[in-house]
Amino acid sequence: NAGVTQTPKFQVLKTGQSMTLQCAQDMNHEYMSWYRQDPGMGLRLIHYSVGAGITDQGEVPNGYNVSRSTTEDFPLRLLSAAPSQTSVYFCASSTRVDGRSYNEQFFGPGTRLTVL
Amino acid sequence: GQSLEQPSEVTAVEGAIVQINCTYQTSGFYGLSWYQQHDGGAPTFLSYNGLDGLEETGRFSSFLSRSDSYGYLLLQELQMKDSASYFCRCGGGKLIFGQGTELSVKP
């Protein structure tokens, strides 16, 4: 199993450009999420999905769109990039174990995004 | 809403024991998890507490008190490789992390 994969690893954008960060998982996990991490700010939830066709907003959703057409893929779209979106973006997936919470999340390697 | 509070940094020496605390506020509680992150890499899962009490996994233990909305991660026999950031996390669908505790282990 490849686990959670993210592409690209690095990206530089100019202000106003749009792009899609790709995330895929091969563990058949129903739950997927996107986080951004800025220095000293921890991991902040952008959007999440509890299954194909279902998405919801996290803590910092403005400026980002998501869709979940398949179980495997959960792309994150930046509509019009701004310097404030310079960050490291992590995708994660999870599944309920024995009816409990999503106790363990599996993270991808991250995408380092710089917006000039 | 949900929020988690943890110390920003902790320093300890090799071989010692260190405790990282986490207090949380959440409208619905589904358990407290702990994650480790080295040098900005992918966070990795360490431990989960769904019920009150202590969970032990090797040198790491995690404790939860739901009545106090409080938990901690206990690291024993500290090694240099334990220098990392540690995050507590809670939530049901909306999984929220604390801001992280940077642990520095000194020789």
Side-chain angles (χ1 to χ4, degrees), chain B residues 36-52:
Chain B
Q36 180 190 61
Q37 184 183 39
H38 280 106
D39 299 323
T44 55
F45 171 78
L46 290 176
S47 186
Y48 169 79
N49 294 78
L51 301 173
D52 290 355

Side-chain angles (χ1 to χ4, degrees), chain A residues 31 35 37 102-103 105 112, chain B residues 33 35 37 40 89 93 95:
Chain A
Y31 185 94
Y35 294 88
Q37 186 173 34
Y102 301 108
N103 53 325
Q105 286 175 281
R112 274 94 183 142
Chain B
S33 294
Y35 289 77
Q37 184 183 39
R89 190 221 74 186
L95 300 174

Side-chain angles (χ1 to χ4, degrees), chain A residues 31 35 37 40-43 45 48 50 57-59 88 90 94 96 100-105 107-109 112, chain B residues 30-31 33 35 37 39-45 47-48 50 87 89 91-100:
Chain A
Y31 185 94
Y35 294 88
Q37 186 173 34
M41 295 294 291
L43 295 152
L45 181 65
Y48 66 98
V50 297
Q57 295 183 347
E59 303 172 276
V88 180
F90 288 102
S94 185
R96 294 187 190 275
R100 297 192 303 179
S101 174
Y102 301 108
N103 53 325
E104 180 174 3
Q105 286 175 281
F107 283 81
R112 274 94 183 142
Chain B
Y30 297 87
S33 294
Y35 289 77
Q37 184 183 39
D39 299 323
T44 55
F45 171 78
S47 186
Y48 169 79
F87 297 88
R89 190 221 74 186
K94 189 178 285 190
L95 300 174
I96 304 299
F97 284 80
Q99 294 200 4

Side-chain angles (χ1 to χ4, degrees), chain B residues 6 10 14 24-25 27-28 32 37 43-44 47-48 51 56 58 66-68 70 95 100 102 104:
Chain B
Q6 50 182 130
V10 173
E14 253 185 318
Y24 60 85
Q25 289 185 324
S27 53
L32 192 70
Q37 184 183 39
T44 55
S47 186
Y48 169 79
L51 301 173
E56 296 179 82
R66 288 176 295 172
S67 60
D68 296 321
Y70 163 76
L95 300 174
E102 186 171 352
S104 296

Side-chain angles (χ1 to χ4, degrees), chain A residues 62-112:
Chain A
N62 292 342
Y64 307 94
N65 273 0
V66 292
S67 60
R68 185 94 180 271
S69 56
T70 67
T71 300
E72 295 77 19
D73 300 299
F74 192 45
L76 178 73
R77 282 183 288 278
L78 280 70
L79 309 173
S80 177
S84 61
Q85 294 179 304
T86 293
S87 190
V88 180
Y89 291 85
F90 288 102
C91 178
S93 74
S94 185
T95 187
R96 294 187 190 275
V97 177
D98 298 331
R100 297 192 303 179
S101 174
Y102 301 108
N103 53 325
E104 180 174 3
Q105 286 175 281
F106 296 82
F107 283 81
T111 294
R112 274 94 183 142

Side-chain angles (χ1 to χ4, degrees), chain B residues 12 17-18 22 26 28-29 40 42 53 56 73 79 82 86 89 97-98 107:
Chain B
I17 299 172
V18 71
C22 175
T26 179
F29 185 71
E56 296 179 82
L73 179 69
Q79 302 174 10
D82 297 328
Y86 293 84
R89 190 221 74 186
F97 284 80

Side-chain angles (χ1 to χ4, degrees), chain B residues 67-94:
Chain B
S67 60
D68 296 321
S69 297
Y70 163 76
Y72 66 71
L73 179 69
L74 192 74
L75 296 83
Q76 304 181 72
E77 301 172 17
L78 279 174
Q79 302 174 10
M80 298 295 290
K81 67 178 182 179
D82 297 328
S83 292
S85 293
Y86 293 84
F87 297 88
C88 55
R89 190 221 74 186
C90 72
K94 189 178 285 190

